[in-house]
Amino acid sequence: MDQRFDATERFAEGAQFIAGSLRSGSSGRTQDVVDPATGETVYSYELAGEAEVDAAVEAARRAFADWGGATPGERSDTLHRFAAALTEDAGDLARAESLNCGKPIKLSEEFDVPGSIDNAAFFAGAARHLEGKAAGEYSADHTSVIRREPIGVVGSIAPWNYPLQMAAWKVLPALAAGNTIVLKPAEITPFTSLLFAQAAQRAGLPDGALNIVSGAGRDAGEHLVGHPSVAMTSFTGSTAVGKRVAEIATGTVKRLHLELGGKAPFVVFDDADLEAAVHGAVAGALINTGQDCTAATRAYVQRPLYDAFVSGVADLMATVRLGDPFDPSTDLGPLISHAQRDRVAGFVDRARAYATVVTGGEAPQGGLAKGAYYLPTLIAGAAQDSEIVQSEIFGPVLVVLPFDSDDEGIALANDTPYGLAASAWSRDVYRTGRATREINAGCVWVNDHIPIISEMPHGGAKASGFGKDMSAYSFEEYTQVKHVMYDNTAVARKDWHRTIFGDRP
Ligand code: NAD
């Protein structure tokens, strides 16, 4: 039995949560869940097949009648109780997330879990603030009313980097607006999605309103996206898979929300606070071992500060403590899997041919060698069009490039297919103001990089997708607008009929 989080005991019946109870999948394929810090299997389960997706969608379809018809106040009450249930479960959620993903326990306890609880509290409030435009007589003979209605059954697909937060971001606005949901977590990270659904049930969410199908992308995922009873697909993951999801969703004309990859620029102008920029770059690049879609990945530093920035970041990276995710002093955990570690190492090894690895660039030896660890890595001297600058690496790797004019810095920041997040570092309000206007991204931070908050939207531009998570903007995405028009005349032969039949007066 694992003292940290015993998934075998908690999910003994299986890793599918359908119509209010745990059950096993029936795909005939077993998935091992591996602790990336040790390489040991901590849980095995049978993946969901099409039968589980069908059952979950049917449960959600049936639950929609009640949940979609509940008053905003009733939905809000349930979500407030949900936030309280998550607060009670905070310890388990943090331990499960750290075991499953290798996240340092301080990150799970201080970022993932409280952020998700705050999201539940935010959407409990938002449930009572659904607004349409004011009603009125836009035609003299009619009164118009705007209704914002839930869409129906939402099929959501989430990635492995923040399993709990992604579940929260997908599920909470959808429920607050009156939809019901089938969520597919990444098959290697099912734990906290299941705990999340169990907490919702304890809070009084009707059975079937939230279902979890733990299945593989190509079968359970595609079946969910193409399902005719699913009215909306909300997907977070890579741009490559997002394109495939879009193709399938188009076939059934679904509402689509895509949160895709990122390659965030970090632009340091020559009047910036160097110490702040160096600390911000290391924190921004290493959060969640770099497996963060908004992580700082490309630092552009104006020439006068370039050398000092490179040596400052390299020195600071060398102080970061890799270790057991359950040790409270560990700063950096392993990557999600050995396969992801090897993928990251592949990018860095190929870059050696055209760039300089300033620090890192290898897996640590000794006690950590059996885990999926990789040292914080800084790369300099790469060309703007090289793979290491253009591709999403999703590991603890920062690339640094110099620039001369402000025009050049902003142009380089915009020069990738992605547009999820960016930051600008300067003490000059006009320079940062220009950067916030001209960098094409869903979020631009000024003199910081990473913080998020429930009230503010998160979502991308360009190949980073469209649609927003968190905030009132995401809440509205999970609704459809209906125009209702009342005749005010009570006249059988209405004046406008003459344009169709009969004579003009
Ligand atoms: P991924 O695209 O490989 O998988 C994401 C999800 O899609 C998983 O649940 C997977 O099982 C499923 N999937 C895979 N193939 C599928 C298919 N053919 N049809 C339907 N579903 C399928 O991504 P990942 O490796 O799990 O996560 C990392 C990626 O997620 C990175 O690109 C990262 O930038 C992105 N991400 C984006 C955001 C954002 O808000 N924009 C947030 C977190 C992660």
Side-chain angles (χ1 to χ4, degrees):
M1 182 179 131
D2 198 311
Q3 298 295 325
R4 297 165 299 178
F5 178 78
D6 191 348
T8 304
E9 189 192 354
R10 285 298 290 267
F11 310 129
E13 298 96 331
Q16 317 303 328
F17 187 83
I18 298 172
S21 43
L22 283 174
R23 66 163 91 161
S24 174
S26 67
S27 65
R29 284 185 298 122
T30 300
Q31 175 71 46
D32 289 337
V33 179
V34 173
D35 172 359
T38 62
E40 285 163 18
T41 297
V42 292
Y43 180 63
S44 294
Y45 71 96
E46 190 165 346
L47 286 162
E50 292 191 358
E52 285 69 48
V53 174
D54 290 343
V57 171
E58 179 54 20
R61 206 185 56 73
R62 272 190 268 114
F64 182 64
D66 280 348
W67 184 250
T71 64
E74 288 164 344
R75 289 203 287 265
S76 174
D77 284 350
T78 305
L79 294 181
H80 277 301
R81 290 194 300 272
F82 188 10
L86 291 170
T87 305
E88 281 165 20
D89 294 352
D92 263 357
L93 287 164
R95 286 187 292 276
E97 200 77 323
S98 282
L99 179 66
N100 200 169
C101 306
K103 284 177 202 278
I105 193 74
K106 64 180 179 180
L107 184 67
S108 300
E109 286 177 347
E110 292 176 35
F111 183 65
D112 299 65
V113 174
S116 303
I117 294 169
D118 188 64
N119 245 253
F122 173 79
F123 283 108
R128 304 186 84 149
H129 289 275
L130 205 46
E131 289 174 1
K133 271 191 180 167
E137 288 67 47
Y138 302 92
S139 134
D141 290 345
H142 303 89
T143 296
S144 285
V145 175
I146 293 295
R147 293 171 58 89
R148 271 196 177 271
E149 298 182 342
I151 293 170
V153 176
V154 177
S156 291
I157 296 184
W160 45 254
N161 61 336
Y162 289 107
L164 176 63
Q165 293 204 77
M166 293 302 109
W169 292 10
K170 298 281 164 220
V171 167
L172 291 162
L175 284 180
N179 304 281
T180 55
I181 306 180
V182 178
L183 170 72
K184 193 199 87 60
E187 54 272 41
I188 57 174
T189 54
F191 295 170
T192 48
S193 301
L194 294 168
L195 294 177
F196 186 77
Q198 289 177 320
Q201 186 187 36
R202 247 176 41 237
L205 188 73
D207 290 350
L210 167 58
N211 307 275
I212 309 291
V213 289
S214 305
R218 269 198 297 274
D219 41 34
E222 294 202 3
H223 191 58
L224 180 61
V225 177
H227 203 294
S229 300
V230 172
M232 171 175 174
T233 293
S234 168
F235 172 83
T236 299
S238 61
T239 298
V241 175
K243 288 179 183 169
R244 172 80 187 129
V245 164
E247 266 172 31
I248 302 170
T250 301
T252 44
V253 195
K254 286 184 171 44
R255 167 90 59 111
L256 190 57
H257 174 174
L258 296 176
E259 297 285 356
L260 307 178
K263 186 76 181 175
F266 185 102
V267 184
V268 184
F269 295 98
D270 58 12
D271 66 331
D273 177 335
L274 181 66
E275 189 190 358
V278 164
H279 281 78
V282 173
L286 299 186
I287 183 167
N288 207 34
T289 318
Q291 302 162 119
D292 183 305
C293 50
T294 62
T297 58
R298 301 177 283 140
Y300 297 102
V301 185
Q302 211 153 18
R303 197 83 60 181
L305 292 189
Y306 180 78
D307 289 342
F309 180 89
V310 171
S311 61
V313 168
D315 290 349
L316 193 55
M317 280 184 165
T319 69
V320 169
R321 298 160 298 183
L322 279 70
D324 174 2
F326 283 85
D327 180 337
S329 66
T330 290
D331 296 320
L332 196 77
L335 288 130
I336 188 70
S337 65
H338 289 74
Q340 180 66 8
R341 196 266 310 273
D342 295 347
R343 187 174 169 275
V344 170
F347 278 110
V348 175
D349 290 343
R350 288 191 294 281
R352 290 179 208 282
Y354 56 82
T356 305
V357 178
V358 181
T359 187
E362 59 186 353
Q365 301 305 311
L368 300 180
K370 59 186 188 317
Y373 290 88
Y374 199 74
L375 291 174
T377 298
L378 180 66
I379 294 182
Q384 173 67 16
D385 63 356
S386 60
E387 180 191 53
I388 202 93
V389 176
Q390 292 291 323
S391 301
E392 186 178 42
I393 298 170
F394 235 50
V397 179
L398 178 67
V399 187
V400 59
L401 294 91
F403 69 90
D404 291 304
S405 67
D406 289 18
D407 286 353
E408 185 191 4
I410 290 173
L412 291 169
N414 279 326
D415 179 29
T416 72
Y418 297 107
L420 187 59
S423 62
W425 296 73
S426 165
R427 292 182 168 102
D428 180 336
V429 69
Y430 296 103
R431 282 176 132 175
T432 55
R434 179 181 173 199
T436 60
R437 289 190 301 276
E438 295 187 14
I439 295 178
N440 188 5
C443 169
V444 182
W445 289 283
V446 176
N447 294 325
D448 208 342
H449 194 112
I450 289 300
I452 50 173
I453 191 78
S454 297
E455 285 84 349
M456 290 295 124
H458 166 90
K462 295 157 68 182
S464 295
F466 46 81
K468 298 294 176 195
D469 281 328
M470 306 204 291
S471 78
Y473 296 96
S474 95
F475 183 40
E476 291 191 353
E477 275 191 40
Y478 289 91
T479 67
Q480 56 196 352
V481 172
K482 182 184 280 178
H483 171 211
V484 178
M485 201 173 201
Y486 294 93
D487 168 61
N488 292 336
T489 63
V491 172
R493 296 185 59 182
K494 299 187 196 313
D495 186 46
W496 68 269
H497 291 175
R498 65 190 159 78
T499 60
I500 316 299
F501 59 89
D503 295 331
R504 295 177 187 220

